[in-house]
Amino acid sequence: MPKLGFGLMRLPENDGVIDFDQVCKMVDAYLETGMNYFDTAYVYHGGNSEKMVKEAIVKRHPRESFTVATKLPAWAMTTKDDRDKIFNEQLERTGAEYFDYYLLHSLEDGNNYETYEKLDCFNWGLKKKEEGKIKHFGFSFHGTPELLVKVLDMHPEMEFVQIQLNYADWDNKVVHSGKLYEILHERNIPMIIMEPVKGGTLANLTPELEAMFKEARPDDSAASWALRFVGSLPGVTTILSGMSNFEQVQDNLKTFVDFEPLSDAEKEVVDKVVKKMLDTPLIPCTSCRYCTDGCPMKIRIPDIFNAVNTLRKFPGDMRPMFYYNGLTAEGGKASSCVKCGQCEGVCPQHMPIIKYLEEAAEKLEA
Protein backbone atom coordinates (compact mmCIF):
# COMPACT_ATOMS: atom_id res chain seq x y z
CA MET A 1 0.00 0.00 0.00
CA PRO A 2 1.32 3.49 -0.80
CA LYS A 3 2.16 5.95 1.94
CA LEU A 4 -0.18 8.56 0.40
CA GLY A 5 -3.79 7.70 -0.35
CA PHE A 6 -5.99 9.84 -2.57
CA GLY A 7 -9.15 10.78 -0.67
CA LEU A 8 -12.14 11.49 -2.92
CA MET A 9 -14.27 13.35 -0.36
CA ARG A 10 -13.32 16.93 -1.24
CA LEU A 11 -13.00 16.92 -5.02
CA PRO A 12 -12.91 20.24 -6.93
CA GLU A 13 -16.26 21.55 -8.13
CA ASN A 14 -17.63 24.14 -10.54
CA ASP A 15 -21.09 25.42 -9.63
CA GLY A 16 -21.70 22.36 -7.47
CA VAL A 17 -20.57 19.87 -10.15
CA ILE A 18 -17.35 17.88 -9.79
CA ASP A 19 -14.69 19.23 -12.16
CA PHE A 20 -14.02 16.11 -14.24
CA ASP A 21 -11.07 17.51 -16.19
CA GLN A 22 -9.24 18.68 -13.10
CA VAL A 23 -9.92 15.39 -11.29
CA CYS A 24 -8.44 13.46 -14.24
CA LYS A 25 -5.34 15.65 -14.15
CA MET A 26 -4.99 15.06 -10.40
CA VAL A 27 -5.56 11.30 -10.68
CA ASP A 28 -3.05 10.92 -13.50
CA ALA A 29 -0.32 12.83 -11.65
CA TYR A 30 -0.88 10.68 -8.56
CA LEU A 31 -0.80 7.37 -10.48
CA GLU A 32 2.32 8.38 -12.39
CA THR A 33 4.31 8.16 -9.14
CA GLY A 34 3.29 4.51 -8.64
CA MET A 35 0.94 5.33 -5.78
CA ASN A 36 -2.52 3.85 -6.30
CA TYR A 37 -4.92 3.95 -3.31
CA PHE A 38 -8.25 5.75 -3.88
CA ASP A 39 -10.67 6.19 -1.00
CA THR A 40 -14.34 7.00 -1.51
CA ALA A 41 -17.67 6.30 0.22
CA TYR A 42 -21.36 5.86 -0.53
CA VAL A 43 -22.18 9.36 0.75
CA TYR A 44 -19.27 11.47 -0.56
CA HIS A 45 -20.41 14.24 -2.89
CA GLY A 46 -23.95 12.89 -2.62
CA GLY A 47 -22.88 9.63 -4.26
CA ASN A 48 -21.05 11.36 -7.12
CA SER A 49 -17.63 10.56 -5.68
CA GLU A 50 -18.16 6.85 -6.38
CA LYS A 51 -19.39 7.72 -9.87
CA MET A 52 -16.24 9.75 -10.44
CA VAL A 53 -14.20 6.62 -9.65
CA LYS A 54 -15.72 5.04 -12.75
CA GLU A 55 -15.31 8.05 -15.02
CA ALA A 56 -11.89 9.35 -13.99
CA ILE A 57 -10.16 6.13 -12.91
CA VAL A 58 -11.81 2.85 -13.97
CA LYS A 59 -12.55 3.90 -17.55
CA ARG A 60 -9.15 5.51 -18.04
CA HIS A 61 -6.68 3.17 -16.34
CA PRO A 62 -6.09 -0.61 -16.20
CA ARG A 63 -7.85 -2.19 -13.23
CA GLU A 64 -4.64 -3.70 -11.92
CA SER A 65 -2.99 -0.25 -11.76
CA PHE A 66 -5.09 1.08 -8.87
CA THR A 67 -6.94 0.02 -5.73
CA VAL A 68 -10.35 1.25 -4.57
CA ALA A 69 -11.68 1.56 -1.04
CA THR A 70 -15.28 2.39 -0.24
CA LYS A 71 -17.61 2.04 2.74
CA LEU A 72 -20.96 0.70 3.94
CA PRO A 73 -23.00 3.41 5.79
CA ALA A 74 -24.91 2.33 8.90
CA TRP A 75 -27.27 5.30 8.69
CA ALA A 76 -28.54 4.26 5.24
CA MET A 77 -29.62 0.78 6.37
CA THR A 78 -32.64 -0.55 8.26
CA THR A 79 -32.74 -4.19 7.12
CA LYS A 80 -30.22 -6.86 6.14
CA ASP A 81 -31.38 -6.55 2.53
CA ASP A 82 -29.98 -3.02 2.50
CA ARG A 83 -26.43 -4.39 2.75
CA ASP A 84 -26.50 -6.00 -0.69
CA LYS A 85 -28.64 -3.23 -2.15
CA ILE A 86 -26.05 -0.61 -1.25
CA PHE A 87 -23.07 -2.83 -2.12
CA ASN A 88 -24.44 -3.64 -5.59
CA GLU A 89 -25.18 0.03 -6.17
CA GLN A 90 -21.58 0.84 -5.26
CA LEU A 91 -20.27 -1.76 -7.72
CA GLU A 92 -22.45 -0.19 -10.42
CA ARG A 93 -21.45 3.36 -9.56
CA THR A 94 -17.72 2.67 -9.53
CA GLY A 95 -17.56 0.01 -12.24
CA ALA A 96 -14.74 -1.50 -10.17
CA GLU A 97 -16.00 -5.15 -10.36
CA TYR A 98 -14.64 -5.69 -6.82
CA PHE A 99 -13.32 -3.56 -3.99
CA ASP A 100 -9.72 -3.89 -2.89
CA TYR A 101 -10.61 -2.46 0.52
CA TYR A 102 -14.08 -2.29 2.05
CA LEU A 103 -14.95 -0.62 5.34
CA LEU A 104 -17.85 -0.37 7.73
CA HIS A 105 -18.19 3.40 7.74
CA SER A 106 -17.75 5.56 10.84
CA LEU A 107 -18.04 2.91 13.51
CA GLU A 108 -18.68 4.71 16.81
CA ASP A 109 -20.45 4.35 20.13
CA GLY A 110 -24.24 4.18 19.79
CA ASN A 111 -26.36 3.77 16.68
CA ASN A 112 -23.67 3.11 14.08
CA TYR A 113 -21.95 0.28 15.93
CA GLU A 114 -25.27 -1.18 17.08
CA THR A 115 -26.58 -1.16 13.51
CA TYR A 116 -23.54 -3.03 12.20
CA GLU A 117 -23.96 -5.68 14.88
CA LYS A 118 -27.75 -5.91 14.53
CA LEU A 119 -27.53 -6.39 10.77
CA ASP A 120 -24.63 -8.84 11.08
CA CYS A 121 -22.43 -6.69 8.86
CA PHE A 122 -19.16 -8.18 10.09
CA ASN A 123 -20.07 -11.70 8.93
CA TRP A 124 -21.67 -10.28 5.79
CA GLY A 125 -18.37 -8.61 4.88
CA LEU A 126 -16.47 -11.85 5.36
CA LYS A 127 -18.87 -13.60 2.97
CA LYS A 128 -18.27 -10.90 0.38
CA LYS A 129 -14.58 -11.52 0.82
CA GLU A 130 -15.07 -15.25 0.25
CA GLU A 131 -16.96 -14.39 -2.95
CA GLY A 132 -14.02 -12.29 -4.15
CA LYS A 133 -16.03 -9.06 -4.11
CA ILE A 134 -13.88 -7.68 -1.27
CA LYS A 135 -10.13 -8.23 -1.04
CA HIS A 136 -9.55 -6.70 2.40
CA PHE A 137 -12.14 -5.91 5.09
CA GLY A 138 -11.92 -3.33 7.89
CA PHE A 139 -13.69 -0.34 9.39
CA SER A 140 -13.31 3.40 9.90
CA PHE A 141 -13.58 4.51 13.51
CA HIS A 142 -14.78 7.62 15.34
CA GLY A 143 -15.53 6.14 18.76
CA THR A 144 -13.94 5.80 22.17
CA PRO A 145 -10.81 3.79 22.98
CA GLU A 146 -12.99 1.47 25.05
CA LEU A 147 -15.22 0.67 22.09
CA LEU A 148 -12.22 0.10 19.83
CA VAL A 149 -10.85 -2.52 22.23
CA LYS A 150 -14.28 -4.18 22.41
CA VAL A 151 -14.66 -4.35 18.62
CA LEU A 152 -11.14 -5.68 18.08
CA ASP A 153 -11.68 -8.35 20.73
CA MET A 154 -15.01 -9.41 19.21
CA HIS A 155 -13.87 -9.23 15.59
CA PRO A 156 -10.22 -10.26 15.25
CA GLU A 157 -10.93 -10.95 11.57
CA MET A 158 -10.74 -7.21 10.82
CA GLU A 159 -7.64 -6.63 8.70
CA PHE A 160 -7.16 -2.88 9.13
CA VAL A 161 -8.66 0.14 10.88
CA GLN A 162 -9.00 3.72 9.63
CA ILE A 163 -8.74 6.40 12.32
CA GLN A 164 -8.54 10.17 12.53
CA LEU A 165 -5.05 11.20 13.53
CA ASN A 166 -3.08 14.43 13.41
CA TYR A 167 -0.73 16.32 15.69
CA ALA A 168 -3.47 18.70 16.88
CA ASP A 169 -5.81 15.86 17.97
CA TRP A 170 -3.24 13.61 19.61
CA ASP A 171 -4.47 14.45 23.12
CA ASN A 172 -7.98 15.55 22.09
CA LYS A 173 -10.39 14.02 24.60
CA VAL A 174 -13.12 13.74 21.95
CA VAL A 175 -11.09 12.39 19.01
CA HIS A 176 -8.62 10.30 21.10
CA SER A 177 -6.06 10.13 18.26
CA GLY A 178 -3.12 9.18 20.47
CA LYS A 179 -4.96 6.51 22.46
CA LEU A 180 -6.49 4.90 19.35
CA TYR A 181 -3.08 4.84 17.69
CA GLU A 182 -1.49 3.18 20.73
CA ILE A 183 -4.17 0.46 20.87
CA LEU A 184 -3.77 -0.42 17.19
CA HIS A 185 0.02 -0.20 17.21
CA GLU A 186 0.25 -2.49 20.24
CA ARG A 187 -1.86 -5.09 18.39
CA ASN A 188 0.10 -4.66 15.13
CA ILE A 189 -3.07 -3.76 13.22
CA PRO A 190 -2.38 -1.78 10.03
CA MET A 191 -3.69 1.79 10.22
CA ILE A 192 -5.10 3.97 7.49
CA ILE A 193 -5.16 7.59 8.60
CA MET A 194 -7.89 10.12 7.81
CA GLU A 195 -7.90 13.85 8.59
CA PRO A 196 -4.09 14.14 8.86
CA VAL A 197 -4.47 17.85 8.08
CA LYS A 198 -7.67 18.13 10.15
CA GLY A 199 -9.95 19.12 7.30
CA GLY A 200 -7.46 21.70 6.03
CA THR A 201 -7.07 23.41 9.41
CA LEU A 202 -3.41 22.41 9.68
CA ALA A 203 -2.72 23.62 6.15
CA ASN A 204 -4.01 27.11 6.90
CA LEU A 205 -2.29 28.17 10.11
CA THR A 206 -1.99 31.62 11.60
CA PRO A 207 1.01 33.58 10.29
CA GLU A 208 2.72 33.14 13.66
CA LEU A 209 2.39 29.35 13.62
CA GLU A 210 3.34 29.03 9.96
CA ALA A 211 6.46 31.12 10.60
CA MET A 212 7.60 28.57 13.20
CA PHE A 213 7.55 25.86 10.51
CA LYS A 214 9.07 28.11 7.85
CA GLU A 215 12.00 28.92 10.08
CA ALA A 216 12.89 25.23 10.22
CA ARG A 217 12.08 24.35 6.57
CA PRO A 218 11.50 27.49 4.45
CA ASP A 219 10.46 25.62 1.30
CA ASP A 220 7.90 23.28 2.90
CA SER A 221 4.18 23.89 3.37
CA ALA A 222 2.34 23.68 6.68
CA ALA A 223 0.39 20.74 5.24
CA SER A 224 3.61 18.82 4.62
CA TRP A 225 4.50 19.07 8.29
CA ALA A 226 1.15 17.56 9.27
CA LEU A 227 1.55 14.73 6.77
CA ARG A 228 5.13 14.01 7.78
CA PHE A 229 4.10 13.88 11.44
CA VAL A 230 1.63 11.09 10.70
CA GLY A 231 3.91 9.36 8.22
CA SER A 232 6.69 9.17 10.79
CA LEU A 233 4.61 7.00 13.13
CA PRO A 234 5.31 3.23 13.07
CA GLY A 235 2.36 1.10 12.01
CA VAL A 236 0.79 3.73 9.75
CA THR A 237 0.19 2.14 6.36
CA THR A 238 -1.53 4.80 4.27
CA ILE A 239 -2.33 8.45 4.91
CA LEU A 240 -5.41 9.83 3.19
CA SER A 241 -5.42 13.34 1.84
CA GLY A 242 -8.68 14.74 0.50
CA MET A 243 -7.08 16.72 -2.30
CA SER A 244 -9.20 19.52 -3.77
CA ASN A 245 -6.99 20.91 -6.52
CA PHE A 246 -3.92 20.09 -8.58
CA GLU A 247 -1.67 22.28 -6.44
CA GLN A 248 -2.47 20.17 -3.39
CA VAL A 249 -1.62 17.03 -5.34
CA GLN A 250 1.74 18.51 -6.32
CA ASP A 251 2.53 19.55 -2.77
CA ASN A 252 1.58 16.14 -1.37
CA LEU A 253 3.61 14.29 -3.97
CA LYS A 254 6.59 16.47 -3.12
CA THR A 255 6.21 15.26 0.46
CA PHE A 256 5.71 11.57 -0.25
CA VAL A 257 7.67 10.62 -3.37
CA ASP A 258 10.91 10.76 -1.36
CA PHE A 259 9.39 10.68 2.10
CA GLU A 260 11.52 12.04 4.92
CA PRO A 261 10.45 11.25 8.52
CA LEU A 262 10.54 14.04 11.09
CA SER A 263 13.85 14.46 12.86
CA ASP A 264 13.96 14.84 16.63
CA ALA A 265 14.50 18.58 16.21
CA GLU A 266 11.50 18.82 13.90
CA LYS A 267 9.34 16.92 16.38
CA GLU A 268 10.20 19.62 18.90
CA VAL A 269 9.03 22.26 16.43
CA VAL A 270 5.70 20.45 16.06
CA ASP A 271 5.35 20.29 19.86
CA LYS A 272 5.90 24.05 20.10
CA VAL A 273 3.34 24.70 17.36
CA VAL A 274 0.77 22.51 19.11
CA LYS A 275 1.34 24.26 22.43
CA LYS A 276 0.89 27.66 20.81
CA MET A 277 -2.10 26.49 18.73
CA LEU A 278 -4.01 25.19 21.71
CA ASP A 279 -3.88 28.66 23.21
CA THR A 280 -6.44 29.64 20.52
CA PRO A 281 -9.43 27.30 20.81
CA LEU A 282 -11.15 26.61 17.50
CA ILE A 283 -14.31 24.80 16.49
CA PRO A 284 -12.95 21.27 15.79
CA CYS A 285 -14.90 20.75 12.55
CA THR A 286 -13.27 18.55 9.88
CA SER A 287 -15.73 19.52 7.11
CA CYS A 288 -16.96 15.95 6.62
CA ARG A 289 -20.43 17.45 5.88
CA TYR A 290 -22.41 14.63 7.43
CA CYS A 291 -24.38 17.39 9.19
CA THR A 292 -25.53 19.19 6.06
CA ASP A 293 -27.46 16.48 4.18
CA GLY A 294 -30.29 16.30 6.69
CA CYS A 295 -30.39 19.93 7.81
CA PRO A 296 -33.99 21.15 7.27
CA MET A 297 -32.79 24.75 6.92
CA LYS A 298 -30.01 23.91 4.42
CA ILE A 299 -27.37 25.52 6.62
CA ARG A 300 -23.82 25.06 5.31
CA ILE A 301 -22.50 24.34 8.78
CA PRO A 302 -18.82 23.52 8.05
CA ASP A 303 -18.42 26.61 5.86
CA ILE A 304 -19.94 28.83 8.54
CA PHE A 305 -17.61 27.31 11.13
CA ASN A 306 -14.66 28.16 8.89
CA ALA A 307 -15.72 31.79 9.11
CA VAL A 308 -16.08 31.60 12.90
CA ASN A 309 -12.65 29.99 13.28
CA THR A 310 -11.07 32.69 11.14
CA LEU A 311 -12.65 35.31 13.37
CA ARG A 312 -11.40 33.51 16.46
CA LYS A 313 -7.88 33.54 15.08
CA PHE A 314 -8.07 37.05 13.64
CA PRO A 315 -10.50 39.22 15.65
CA GLY A 316 -11.58 42.28 13.73
CA ASP A 317 -10.86 40.78 10.31
CA MET A 318 -13.71 41.70 7.96
CA ARG A 319 -13.05 38.92 5.44
CA PRO A 320 -15.07 36.32 7.38
CA MET A 321 -18.03 38.71 7.31
CA PHE A 322 -17.83 39.12 3.54
CA TYR A 323 -17.43 35.37 3.11
CA TYR A 324 -20.44 34.67 5.34
CA ASN A 325 -22.65 37.20 3.57
CA GLY A 326 -21.91 35.57 0.22
CA LEU A 327 -22.40 32.12 1.69
CA THR A 328 -25.86 32.90 3.05
CA ALA A 329 -27.10 35.30 0.38
CA GLU A 330 -29.90 32.89 -0.57
CA GLY A 331 -30.66 31.62 2.94
CA GLY A 332 -29.24 29.14 5.38
CA LYS A 333 -28.04 31.66 7.94
CA ALA A 334 -26.78 30.43 11.29
CA SER A 335 -29.75 32.12 12.93
CA SER A 336 -32.09 29.95 10.81
CA CYS A 337 -31.24 26.93 12.99
CA VAL A 338 -34.40 25.37 14.47
CA LYS A 339 -32.38 23.34 17.00
CA CYS A 340 -33.72 19.99 15.79
CA GLY A 341 -30.42 18.28 16.72
CA GLN A 342 -30.12 16.26 13.50
CA CYS A 343 -26.63 17.64 12.89
CA GLU A 344 -25.36 16.77 16.35
CA GLY A 345 -26.69 13.23 16.00
CA VAL A 346 -24.47 12.46 13.00
CA CYS A 347 -21.37 14.53 13.84
CA PRO A 348 -18.30 12.23 14.11
CA GLN A 349 -16.62 14.89 16.26
CA HIS A 350 -19.61 14.99 18.67
CA MET A 351 -19.62 18.78 18.59
CA PRO A 352 -22.28 21.02 20.19
CA ILE A 353 -23.18 22.34 16.74
CA ILE A 354 -26.25 24.25 17.88
CA LYS A 355 -24.17 26.19 20.40
CA TYR A 356 -21.57 27.00 17.74
CA LEU A 357 -24.27 28.19 15.33
CA GLU A 358 -25.52 30.57 18.03
CA GLU A 359 -21.98 31.94 18.26
CA ALA A 360 -21.84 32.25 14.48
CA ALA A 361 -25.13 34.18 14.39
CA GLU A 362 -23.92 36.52 17.12
CA LYS A 363 -20.54 37.23 15.51
CA LEU A 364 -21.36 37.14 11.81
CA GLU A 365 -24.85 38.63 11.65
CA ALA A 366 -24.23 41.66 13.83
mmCIF file of all heavy atoms in Angstrom, residues 18 22 56 59 96 102 128 145 175 180 187 189 223 236 246 278 290 334:
data_model
loop_
_atom_site.group_PDB
_atom_site.id
_atom_site.type_symbol
_atom_site.label_atom_id
_atom_site.label_comp_id
_atom_site.label_asym_id
_atom_site.label_seq_id
_atom_site.Cartn_x
_atom_site.Cartn_y
_atom_site.Cartn_z
ATOM 1 N N ILE A 18 -18.759 18.288 -9.861
ATOM 2 C CA ILE A 18 -17.352 17.883 -9.793
ATOM 3 C C ILE A 18 -16.649 18.208 -11.110
ATOM 4 O O ILE A 18 -17.151 17.921 -12.202
ATOM 5 C CB ILE A 18 -17.234 16.385 -9.486
ATOM 6 C CG1 ILE A 18 -17.799 16.073 -8.092
ATOM 7 C CG2 ILE A 18 -15.770 15.937 -9.547
ATOM 8 C CD1 ILE A 18 -17.815 14.600 -7.744
ATOM 9 N N GLN A 22 -10.266 18.466 -14.120
ATOM 10 C CA GLN A 22 -9.241 18.678 -13.098
ATOM 11 C C GLN A 22 -9.005 17.397 -12.294
ATOM 12 O O GLN A 22 -7.866 17.074 -11.952
ATOM 13 C CB GLN A 22 -9.621 19.822 -12.151
ATOM 14 C CG GLN A 22 -8.486 20.146 -11.176
ATOM 15 C CD GLN A 22 -8.721 21.401 -10.355
ATOM 16 O OE1 GLN A 22 -7.880 21.764 -9.529
ATOM 17 N NE2 GLN A 22 -9.835 22.069 -10.539
ATOM 18 N N ALA A 56 -13.247 8.808 -13.967
ATOM 19 C CA ALA A 56 -11.889 9.354 -13.989
ATOM 20 C C ALA A 56 -10.808 8.298 -13.789
ATOM 21 O O ALA A 56 -9.651 8.527 -14.163
ATOM 22 C CB ALA A 56 -11.747 10.428 -12.912
ATOM 23 N N LYS A 59 -12.463 3.840 -16.089
ATOM 24 C CA LYS A 59 -12.555 3.899 -17.549
ATOM 25 C C LYS A 59 -11.258 4.334 -18.216
ATOM 26 O O LYS A 59 -11.084 4.139 -19.423
ATOM 27 C CB LYS A 59 -13.677 4.856 -17.963
ATOM 28 C CG LYS A 59 -15.077 4.324 -17.738
ATOM 29 C CD LYS A 59 -16.108 5.310 -18.292
ATOM 30 C CE LYS A 59 -17.531 4.773 -18.158
ATOM 31 N NZ LYS A 59 -18.536 5.735 -18.714
ATOM 32 N N ALA A 96 -16.020 -0.921 -10.596
ATOM 33 C CA ALA A 96 -14.742 -1.502 -10.171
ATOM 34 C C ALA A 96 -14.708 -3.022 -10.211
ATOM 35 O O ALA A 96 -13.636 -3.615 -10.080
ATOM 36 C CB ALA A 96 -14.408 -1.026 -8.757
ATOM 37 N N TYR A 102 -12.694 -2.638 1.743
ATOM 38 C CA TYR A 102 -14.081 -2.291 2.049
ATOM 39 C C TYR A 102 -14.205 -2.084 3.555
ATOM 40 O O TYR A 102 -13.673 -2.883 4.347
ATOM 41 C CB TYR A 102 -15.043 -3.375 1.583
ATOM 42 C CG TYR A 102 -16.461 -2.887 1.461
ATOM 43 C CD1 TYR A 102 -16.861 -2.126 0.360
ATOM 44 C CD2 TYR A 102 -17.410 -3.175 2.440
ATOM 45 C CE1 TYR A 102 -18.166 -1.668 0.245
ATOM 46 C CE2 TYR A 102 -18.715 -2.719 2.326
ATOM 47 C CZ TYR A 102 -19.087 -1.958 1.222
ATOM 48 O OH TYR A 102 -20.381 -1.491 1.109
ATOM 49 N N LYS A 128 -18.635 -11.615 1.613
ATOM 50 C CA LYS A 128 -18.274 -10.897 0.379
ATOM 51 C C LYS A 128 -16.803 -11.134 0.035
ATOM 52 O O LYS A 128 -16.427 -11.219 -1.137
ATOM 53 C CB LYS A 128 -18.530 -9.398 0.551
ATOM 54 C CG LYS A 128 -20.001 -9.021 0.606
ATOM 55 C CD LYS A 128 -20.695 -9.338 -0.707
ATOM 56 C CE LYS A 128 -22.166 -8.997 -0.648
ATOM 57 N NZ LYS A 128 -22.891 -9.485 -1.857
ATOM 58 N N PRO A 145 -11.802 4.866 22.879
ATOM 59 C CA PRO A 145 -10.813 3.786 22.980
ATOM 60 C C PRO A 145 -11.426 2.501 23.532
ATOM 61 O O PRO A 145 -11.068 1.401 23.090
ATOM 62 C CB PRO A 145 -9.769 4.369 23.932
ATOM 63 C CG PRO A 145 -9.872 5.854 23.750
ATOM 64 C CD PRO A 145 -11.330 6.113 23.524
ATOM 65 N N VAL A 175 -11.586 13.173 20.151
ATOM 66 C CA VAL A 175 -11.086 12.395 19.011
ATOM 67 C C VAL A 175 -10.226 11.209 19.466
ATOM 68 O O VAL A 175 -10.244 10.143 18.840
ATOM 69 C CB VAL A 175 -10.297 13.302 18.050
ATOM 70 C CG1 VAL A 175 -9.785 12.507 16.857
ATOM 71 C CG2 VAL A 175 -11.171 14.464 17.572
ATOM 72 N N LEU A 180 -6.099 5.872 20.384
ATOM 73 C CA LEU A 180 -6.491 4.905 19.346
ATOM 74 C C LEU A 180 -5.260 4.366 18.633
ATOM 75 O O LEU A 180 -5.166 3.164 18.348
ATOM 76 C CB LEU A 180 -7.441 5.563 18.345
ATOM 77 C CG LEU A 180 -8.766 6.097 18.899
ATOM 78 C CD1 LEU A 180 -9.614 6.687 17.772
ATOM 79 C CD2 LEU A 180 -9.546 5.009 19.633
ATOM 80 N N ARG A 187 -1.331 -3.839 18.938
ATOM 81 C CA ARG A 187 -1.856 -5.087 18.389
ATOM 82 C C ARG A 187 -1.343 -5.362 16.971
ATOM 83 O O ARG A 187 -1.769 -6.335 16.331
ATOM 84 C CB ARG A 187 -3.382 -5.036 18.372
ATOM 85 C CG ARG A 187 -4.002 -4.938 19.764
ATOM 86 C CD ARG A 187 -5.513 -4.972 19.695
ATOM 87 N NE ARG A 187 -6.122 -4.880 21.018
ATOM 88 C CZ ARG A 187 -7.170 -5.587 21.412
ATOM 89 N NH1 ARG A 187 -7.751 -6.448 20.581
ATOM 90 N NH2 ARG A 187 -7.671 -5.438 22.623
ATOM 91 N N ILE A 189 -2.001 -3.866 14.218
ATOM 92 C CA ILE A 189 -3.067 -3.763 13.217
ATOM 93 C C ILE A 189 -2.744 -2.603 12.284
ATOM 94 O O ILE A 189 -2.540 -1.474 12.742
ATOM 95 C CB ILE A 189 -4.426 -3.550 13.904
ATOM 96 C CG1 ILE A 189 -4.774 -4.774 14.763
ATOM 97 C CG2 ILE A 189 -5.524 -3.290 12.867
ATOM 98 C CD1 ILE A 189 -6.021 -4.613 15.592
ATOM 99 N N ALA A 223 1.026 22.041 5.439
ATOM 100 C CA ALA A 223 0.389 20.738 5.238
ATOM 101 C C ALA A 223 1.424 19.619 5.249
ATOM 102 O O ALA A 223 1.171 18.524 5.779
ATOM 103 C CB ALA A 223 -0.391 20.726 3.929
ATOM 104 N N VAL A 236 1.675 3.026 10.674
ATOM 105 C CA VAL A 236 0.793 3.734 9.746
ATOM 106 C C VAL A 236 1.068 3.230 8.332
ATOM 107 O O VAL A 236 2.199 3.282 7.848
ATOM 108 C CB VAL A 236 1.004 5.259 9.824
ATOM 109 C CG1 VAL A 236 0.305 5.961 8.666
ATOM 110 C CG2 VAL A 236 0.507 5.793 11.157
ATOM 111 N N PHE A 246 -5.166 20.663 -8.075
ATOM 112 C CA PHE A 246 -3.921 20.089 -8.584
ATOM 113 C C PHE A 246 -2.715 20.545 -7.766
ATOM 114 O O PHE A 246 -1.757 19.786 -7.587
ATOM 115 C CB PHE A 246 -3.730 20.480 -10.052
ATOM 116 C CG PHE A 246 -2.549 19.813 -10.704
ATOM 117 C CD1 PHE A 246 -2.545 18.438 -10.904
ATOM 118 C CD2 PHE A 246 -1.439 20.541 -11.101
ATOM 119 C CE1 PHE A 246 -1.450 17.806 -11.497
ATOM 120 C CE2 PHE A 246 -0.354 19.921 -11.690
ATOM 121 C CZ PHE A 246 -0.360 18.547 -11.893
ATOM 122 N N LEU A 278 -2.966 25.490 20.747
ATOM 123 C CA LEU A 278 -4.011 25.191 21.714
ATOM 124 C C LEU A 278 -4.352 26.383 22.596
ATOM 125 O O LEU A 278 -5.332 26.352 23.333
ATOM 126 C CB LEU A 278 -3.605 23.988 22.570
ATOM 127 C CG LEU A 278 -3.474 22.673 21.801
ATOM 128 C CD1 LEU A 278 -3.096 21.538 22.737
ATOM 129 C CD2 LEU A 278 -4.756 22.335 21.062
ATOM 130 N N TYR A 290 -21.315 15.532 7.072
ATOM 131 C CA TYR A 290 -22.411 14.632 7.434
ATOM 132 C C TYR A 290 -23.604 15.433 7.964
ATOM 133 O O TYR A 290 -24.751 15.017 7.838
ATOM 134 C CB TYR A 290 -21.967 13.635 8.510
ATOM 135 C CG TYR A 290 -20.879 12.683 8.094
ATOM 136 C CD1 TYR A 290 -20.207 11.919 9.030
ATOM 137 C CD2 TYR A 290 -20.506 12.536 6.756
ATOM 138 C CE1 TYR A 290 -19.202 11.031 8.662
ATOM 139 C CE2 TYR A 290 -19.518 11.661 6.383
ATOM 140 C CZ TYR A 290 -18.861 10.912 7.334
ATOM 141 O OH TYR A 290 -17.870 10.032 6.959
ATOM 142 N N ALA A 334 -26.937 31.131 10.017
ATOM 143 C CA ALA A 334 -26.780 30.435 11.294
ATOM 144 C C ALA A 334 -28.001 30.634 12.181
ATOM 145 O O ALA A 334 -28.412 29.723 12.903
ATOM 146 C CB ALA A 334 -25.518 30.933 11.998
#
